[in-house]
Amino acid sequence: MKMRTLVAILPPLALAGCSLAPRTDLPPPPVPQSWPVGDAYLMQSEAALPVISYSDIFRDPALRALVELALANNRDLRVAAANVAAARAQARATRAELFPEITVGGSVEHTDRSGAEPETSYAVSGGVSSFELDLFGKLANASEAERNRALATEAAARAVRLGLVADLVNAWAGYAADRDLLIIAEETAANARDSVRLTRARLEGGVAPRTDLRQAEQILASAEGDIARQKTALAQDENLVRLLVGSEFDTKLLPTDMGQVVGNTEVLPAGTNSQVLLRRPDIVQAEYLLRAANADIGAARAALFPSISLTGLLGFASDALATLFDSAAFSKTIGGAASLAIFDGGKRSANIVAAQADRDAALANYEGAIQNAFREVADALADQGTVGDRLKAAQAYREAAADNAMLADARYRGGVDSYLANLDAQRSLFAARQAEVAVQLEMVRNRVTLYRVLGGDQASPAN
């Protein structure tokens, strides 16, 4: 009898785990194998992008301290970590459906009827309740789909972490740029005050016209307006850093000038092989969602086949506690059931079509993510290839403007030129100094952009 039972059970068990899901074959990346080349691009000699950390690119100790605070306290990162924990738990819960649920229980029943002897009965039982044999991979594919969705959630969390580091560095650099612009405005205002005093004295002495005084006062008023705006910008920059960090921080960790920022931000090598894009968190997320969609097809296909379940119950029942566990009180029950819907109005077939459509959409999203990533990296490389030349040009322009302003001021004081020439020279110098700071900020932000679009470091906030 036992042998016949074993022979009857073995074939279904052998079939269990058979998957009807299509194999996930990732298409070749729909982008060129290497980055663009040309006048706008730097020559790239690295064969592949090394695995790096933010600390390899952003070397300032104060910035690193702020990043560590942000990784510990930022609320968006906490939400991402919670989402990862929830996704992992959901994957474990779905996988548990593959295993039988074993329950135990006990009961005592006492009956006291009028005119009859009281009766007490005892029972202890344990068994398997409706364990479904996964003959066609429905449960296995559902578990695989949830596992891949959990991995996609982890990749999304890495994207949040990567974005947080990049946003914090940009905010930190923005503070330095606004601080430099404030210094420029203050120095311009100081020079304008000297010019106002000089032109007023020359006006009172009958040497200069009233227009010279008014023009000097215009420069002073413009510089004072810039001072007020830059103070507001600095306060807002500090507020942004505080938001990204997620807590109060020592303001001494903020940079003093753009020189500190540029000198402590390294250039990230891009490599010649565009395959490095496949490690970007958003592309990894799209890949796992594609795999999950494939598994959903297998689960939908398996729903077309019969559902077979087994039940079993072992227990003891007795009317006396002392004899509860005697062999005579032992009982067992084993059963099985199979069900198959013969008509559902096309629901299960429609579910397969819907799952296939979801897979096609996931495939398109995966390829689209790669194409978008390629464009972002190519744009950043084009910017990197020319930003150095733009900075050199801005520095040369500022040096020439400074020399011209000095000569124009000397010629005005010597009575050779009108104040209008001096005014134009001062305005040109002011604009040139602002332009130099702007290009320095562009250079830093380009390096941050490359760090972000090439995938940055691979640590997960949930680990």
Side-chain angles (χ1 to χ4, degrees), residues 158-178:
R158 291 211 312 270
V160 174
R161 181 184 191 275
L162 180 65
L164 171 62
V165 174
D167 289 343
L168 181 56
V169 177
N170 278 332
W172 192 74
Y175 180 91
D178 284 331

Side-chain angles (χ1 to χ4, degrees), residues 57-68:
I57 305 301
F58 313 117
R59 296 183 175 275
D60 190 276
L63 176 57
R64 291 182 186 179
L66 284 175
V67 171
E68 291 298 324

Side-chain angles (χ1 to χ4, degrees), residues 231-353:
K231 287 181 177 179
T232 299
L234 279 176
Q236 292 173 341
D237 292 338
E238 186 176 332
N239 290 337
L240 177 57
V241 171
R242 184 176 292 106
L243 173 65
L244 294 172
V245 169
S247 66
E248 289 298 325
F249 64 94
D250 187 353
T251 55
K252 293 180 180 179
L253 297 176
L254 293 171
T256 57
D257 53 41
M258 282 303 297
Q260 177 185 350
V261 176
V262 174
N264 287 285
T265 307
E266 300 295 328
V267 177
L268 181 68
T272 58
N273 192 340
S274 62
Q275 296 289 326
V276 298
L277 292 176
L278 298 182
R279 80 175 200 184
R280 270 180 45 144
D282 58 335
I283 295 177
V284 173
Q285 180 185 12
E287 177 185 337
Y288 282 126
L289 290 177
L290 173 59
R291 294 181 182 277
N294 255 350
D296 284 337
I297 294 175
R301 286 175 175 174
L304 294 174
F305 296 89
S307 175
I308 300 175
S309 60
L310 299 176
T311 59
L313 180 65
L314 302 175
F316 296 87
S318 173
D319 57 3
L321 187 60
T323 59
L324 177 60
F325 294 103
D326 288 352
S327 59
F330 176 73
S331 64
K332 62 180 179 180
T333 303
I334 299 176
S339 64
L340 174 65
I342 59 175
F343 179 76
D344 61 2
K347 174 182 176 181
R348 289 173 297 166
S349 298
N351 286 339
I352 295 176
V353 174

Side-chain angles (χ1 to χ4, degrees), residues 106-165:
S107 65
V108 177
E109 183 177 345
H110 179 78
T111 305
D112 191 356
R113 298 185 182 89
S114 177
E117 289 290 331
E119 296 179 0
T120 303
S121 60
Y122 304 89
V124 175
S125 64
V128 176
S129 61
S130 190
F131 168 50
E132 181 176 350
L133 294 177
D134 194 25
L135 301 183
F136 306 103
K138 180 176 69 174
L139 299 179
N141 280 311
S143 175
E144 179 67 11
E146 288 300 332
R147 187 183 76 86
N148 281 295
R149 289 191 180 95
L151 292 173
T153 304
E154 291 190 32
R158 291 211 312 270
V160 174
R161 181 184 191 275
L162 180 65
L164 171 62
V165 174

